[in-house]
Amino acid sequence: MKKVPQQIIPLAIIFIVAIAALVTARHFFVPETFGDYGHYRAASVDEIASQEVVYAGSIICNDCHDDIYETKMNFDHRGVSCEVCHGPAMAHTEEPDEYTPRIPRIRNQCTICHGYNSARPSGFPQVVEEVHNPGRPCLECHNPHKPLLPRAPQACDACHREIALQKAVSHHTSLECKTCHDAPPDHMSNPRFARAQKPTSRALCGKCHDTEADVSRGIPRIKLATHNENYLCWDCHYPHHPEAR
Amino acid sequence: MEQDKPKIQRRDFLRSCFKKLPVLVSAAYIISPDELLASASDDYNPDEHNYAMGISIHKCIGCGRCADACKTENKVPRDEHFFRTWIERYIIPPDGEAEVDSPNGGIDGFPKADEKKEILRTYFVPKLCNHCENPPCVQVCPVGATYTSRDGVVLVDSSYCVGCRYCIQACPYGARYLHPETHTADKCTFCYHRIVKGMRPACVEVCPTQARVFGEIGKRNSPLHRFIRFNDTIVLKQWLNTKPKVYYSGADGEVR
Ligand code: SF4
Ligand code: SF4
């Protein structure tokens, strides 16, 4: 056998040590699962995938709130996910009593989308906030689950134009005239003889405005029994424009 | 055409089949077909997906709900400078350069455009990481902390990222930022934790006008496939050959 040249042995030792060092260093520095699928740590995919979910997705809301869901699906907000207005609701789906999503009754909630901005697509419904019933929450006139344009009832307009115009800008705009006035069937054909009735009692206003009345929370209430009990409501409030005192 | 045929010879093919035969036979004994089917349906298989997004500029109303939901879902700092997705407003005058603004990413709405100036066109463009098929950010990462997952999503391994900012420099779309607390690179993940569960990304979920469409490339029943079929779409800065996977419809030459 030929003798191995003398310089090979130290060189070989150096090589072996270097390679061993490299392998050990790799073992310590390259994390586990690195390179399983590519030049990255495979376990990080699972770490990212296990992040907490915050938005539940609107399909799940249907499980409990199917009535609202049904309504919404028949109107223009059908594509608007519940969480757009009510905020993230994953926590609510897990513990419905513990976490309740917000119910925004403020104007700003609607103007995020419907405030006028020239860059919005022209067909998109927009209002100029400064002049469109300033200060009032949109919910007073519009139902967000059933967003229709409110329209004052028009049955009596033809003859009572002045009153209709005034009522149109008041809180009572959506009430039909016959809510308060009884008109006989031939009032339209023979108004002078078949006269419409004016209300006669405070109780009529009380139907909506008494503290006991079973109506929507937005309506102003008063304890009818003690509130200036000797007067009729319309001695002080003008019903066609109640804000004008 | 002839040369394109796979260069596998019949003999090689048979030989490789023969080699795999024992494996197949033994596998058939160990795993019954039922088991095989069961595991295939329960398990999420990343190799079967290739996620992408479509954005319809004609539909976007710039409400910023997407950018807001993204911050909530992904715990992105509320600060002005950190976004995984944001909205830009383009204002194009009859002559001259387009003006682009994005105050707080569009979350608080946009101020009125200068009424005195003439405006030819104006619209909103939502932006996010394009999950490029050919991502420069992945190429430049020195440690392999940013990568393309098997389902086609570009992700950042924040426990491995050294915060050198190379990827932030390399991304031609400005889609990345340095997270102020972790000091690692961060960006859109297509809400990876949601999509692997079959949910939609948060921004798509809350977009009130369906301006955003999420889906998969090459699957006919995916909403994205339909979106691309029925719209003329472009990708941003196509000439850079990064092959972005966010498709814009209704974008004109000004958008980049
Ligand atoms: S958009 Fe930027 S961050 Fe996203 S994959 Fe492409 S280069 Fe990377
Ligand atoms: S939520 Fe939809 S409409 Fe609103 S800004 Fe985002 S992409 Fe545009």
Side-chain angles (χ1 to χ4, degrees):
Chain A
M1 209 174 94
K2 245 173 113 193
K3 220 179 156 223
V4 187
Q6 159 199 44
Q7 58 272 60
I8 287 291
I9 292 160
L11 263 181
I13 291 171
I14 291 173
F15 264 110
I16 289 167
V17 169
I19 290 170
L22 199 79
V23 170
T24 347
R26 249 190 81 84
H27 177 75
F28 284 111
F29 289 123
V30 177
E32 246 179 90
T33 74
F34 195 98
D36 281 5
Y37 301 126
H39 188 66
Y40 61 92
R41 203 169 57 91
S44 88
V45 179
D46 299 326
E47 282 166 26
I48 294 171
S50 62
Q51 194 190 315
E52 179 200 358
V53 173
V54 183
Y55 282 86
S58 68
I59 301 291
I60 202 169
C61 307
N62 182 19
D63 285 354
C64 303
H65 306 279
D66 52 338
D67 48 338
I68 294 177
Y69 199 81
E70 190 86 338
T71 315
K72 189 165 82 77
M73 287 324 263
N74 288 314
F75 293 92
D76 281 350
H77 281 168
R78 65 175 75 77
V80 181
S81 189
C82 310
E83 289 167 310
V84 175
C85 306
H86 295 290
M90 194 65 192
H92 175 65
T93 62
E94 280 157 4
E95 282 171 275
D97 299 323
E98 196 80 5
Y99 302 97
T100 39
R102 62 168 183 252
I103 301 181
R105 298 184 191 279
I106 49 169
R107 205 170 150 83
N108 295 357
Q109 181 69 38
C110 307
T111 52
I112 288 172
C113 293
H114 293 291
Y116 174 73
N117 191 311
S118 53
R120 293 202 158 136
S122 47
F124 191 80
Q126 299 166 56
V127 298
V128 178
E129 284 169 67
E130 291 80 11
V131 298
H132 185 90
N133 298 324
R136 298 252 205 95
C138 311
L139 266 89
E140 255 181 31
C141 306
H142 307 267
N143 174 355
H145 296 140
K146 193 175 170 182
L148 296 171
L149 296 184
R151 204 159 174 191
Q154 288 171 320
C156 311
D157 279 27
C159 305
H160 305 281
R161 185 112 192 109
E162 242 180 77
I163 290 176
L165 283 178
Q166 192 151 45
K167 186 161 113 358
V169 295
S170 85
H171 278 305
H172 284 160
T173 173
S174 60
L175 296 183
E176 300 223 36
C177 303
K178 64 171 189 259
T179 315
C180 308
H181 303 279
D182 254 342
D186 50 350
H187 174 68
M188 293 246 252
S189 56
N190 203 355
R192 299 246 171 249
F193 295 96
R195 300 195 73 113
Q197 301 302 309
K198 293 191 173 167
T200 48
S201 77
R202 291 156 57 86
L204 184 87
C205 302
K207 268 201 238 164
C208 296
H209 295 292
D210 191 14
T211 31
E212 308 292 305
D214 180 25
V215 283
S216 135
R217 268 189 284 172
I219 295 177
R221 304 306 180 80
I222 201 74
K223 200 153 180 60
L224 208 65
T226 56
H227 180 76
N228 295 329
E229 60 272 38
N230 297 330
Y231 295 89
L232 287 170
C233 306
W234 47 95
D235 286 342
C236 306
H237 309 272
Y238 180 51
H240 297 139
H241 196 352
E243 291 105 300
R245 279 149 215 264
Chain B
M1 268 340 290
E2 248 350 35
Q3 305 89 296
D4 282 346
K5 279 196 178 155
K7 295 220 168 57
I8 183 163
Q9 298 296 320
R10 186 184 304 152
R11 189 179 305 181
D12 292 337
F13 177 72
L14 288 176
R15 189 179 292 146
S16 78
C17 284
F18 195 69
K19 270 193 208 143
K20 283 174 194 146
L21 200 64
V23 181
L24 284 177
V25 171
S26 53
Y29 276 105
I30 299 162
I31 315 168
S32 70
D34 281 349
E35 262 175 80
L36 210 64
L37 278 177
S39 68
S41 59
D42 295 354
D43 276 347
Y44 172 82
N45 183 358
D47 293 320
E48 283 170 3
H49 302 273
N50 186 3
Y51 297 112
M53 192 181 281
I55 293 179
S56 173
I57 287 177
H58 289 318
K59 286 191 182 170
C60 178
I61 55 170
C63 62
R65 292 312 82 203
C66 47
D68 183 67
C70 171
K71 287 206 173 195
T72 309
E73 179 76 38
N74 295 298
K75 313 213 166 35
V76 175
R78 278 278 152 189
D79 223 301
E80 276 252 14
H81 312 285
F82 311 112
F83 295 99
R84 287 186 175 198
T85 183
W86 67 100
I87 321 297
E88 289 173 359
R89 174 172 64 178
Y90 278 64
I91 300 178
I92 298 166
D95 46 3
E97 278 285 292
E99 249 180 62
V100 184
D101 66 343
S102 181
N104 194 17
I107 291 181
D108 309 324
F110 289 81
K112 291 235 150 54
D114 188 353
E115 304 288 344
K116 281 183 223 98
K117 277 197 202 147
E118 254 190 281
I119 297 174
L120 180 64
R121 283 195 310 280
T122 165
Y123 46 79
F124 297 107
V125 182
K127 293 266 180 89
L128 68 159
C129 165
N130 289 279
H131 295 275
C132 309
E133 228 165 85
N134 202 358
C137 58
V138 173
Q139 283 169 28
V140 299
C141 179
V143 296
T146 182
Y147 58 91
T148 310
S149 73
R150 287 186 290 162
D151 22 22
V153 182
V154 176
L155 296 173
V156 185
D157 178 354
S158 73
S159 68
Y160 201 41
C161 169
V162 292
C164 69
R165 297 178 169 86
Y166 278 148
C167 56
I168 300 176
Q169 293 287 323
C171 172
Y173 306 99
R176 289 176 168 245
Y177 67 94
L178 197 81
H179 196 289
E181 279 141 35
T182 60
H183 301 288
T184 58
D186 195 37
K187 64 178 243 338
C188 162
T189 61
F190 271 164
C191 282
Y192 194 73
H193 59 295
R194 299 173 63 87
I195 59 180
V196 294
K197 299 182 182 80
M199 303 171 95
R200 302 184 292 174
C203 60
V204 178
E205 181 58 42
V206 302
C207 176
T209 61
Q210 277 90 56
R212 290 176 181 249
V213 177
F214 184 73
E216 302 191 32
I217 289 173
K219 282 206 179 156
R220 271 189 85 83
N221 59 358
S222 155
L224 183 85
H225 196 91
R226 190 185 157 81
F227 177 81
I228 292 179
R229 220 148 62 92
F230 291 105
N231 291 285
D232 279 334
T233 56
I234 62 148
V235 293
L236 301 182
K237 299 187 184 170
Q238 191 213 346
W239 56 89
L240 295 177
N241 199 30
T242 54
K243 301 205 183 136
K245 283 194 299 185
V246 174
Y247 299 89
Y248 287 87
S249 87
D252 59 23
E254 303 282 355
V255 181
R256 45 198 58 170

